[in-house]
Amino acid sequence: MKYNIEIQPLADHYVVAAKDHTTGNTVQVFTLNQSGVEMLNLLAEGKSIESISQILSEKYGVTIDLVASDVQIFVHSIEEKGLL
């Protein structure tokens, strides 16, 4: 990950703060749902898109093709935000 990530629950979502590794300053703040937080945490662990798709497919009992599409969209979204 490009930044340190701090996650705080807020109602049915999570507030995510991306902080600079050197200064600790908050660079970006955004919200995610539970599955978004799970994907972000798995990416932070160094898991591949394929691995994340498999893990979430098994956890939620949905097809890997459906999950893989969602994971790819999520990864693209956080890449656009400059987080990866």
Side-chain angles (χ1 to χ4, degrees):
M1 298 294 296
K2 189 173 178 181
Y3 300 104
N4 290 328
I5 302 294
E6 291 184 8
I7 302 170
Q8 296 293 322
L10 179 67
D12 61 342
H13 282 77
Y14 295 83
V15 176
V16 179
K19 299 192 171 209
D20 184 271
H21 287 289
T22 306
T23 66
N25 293 338
T26 300
V27 178
Q28 292 186 49
V29 176
F30 53 97
T31 61
L32 292 174
N33 61 18
Q34 177 65 39
S35 59
V37 168
E38 289 180 62
M39 286 185 270
L40 188 62
N41 285 331
L42 291 167
L43 285 167
E45 291 175 12
K47 303 276 192 232
S48 67
I49 291 174
E50 294 79 17
S51 177
I52 294 168
S53 300
Q54 183 67 40
I55 290 166
L56 296 178
S57 172
E58 291 172 5
K59 180 175 183 175
Y60 293 106
V62 295
T63 67
I64 197 162
D65 292 335
L66 177 64
V67 175
S69 174
D70 289 346
V71 172
Q72 288 174 345
I73 290 168
F74 178 79
V75 169
H76 180 72
S77 172
I78 64 170
E79 284 176 338
E80 285 185 330
K81 293 180 187 313
L83 298 175
L84 284 179

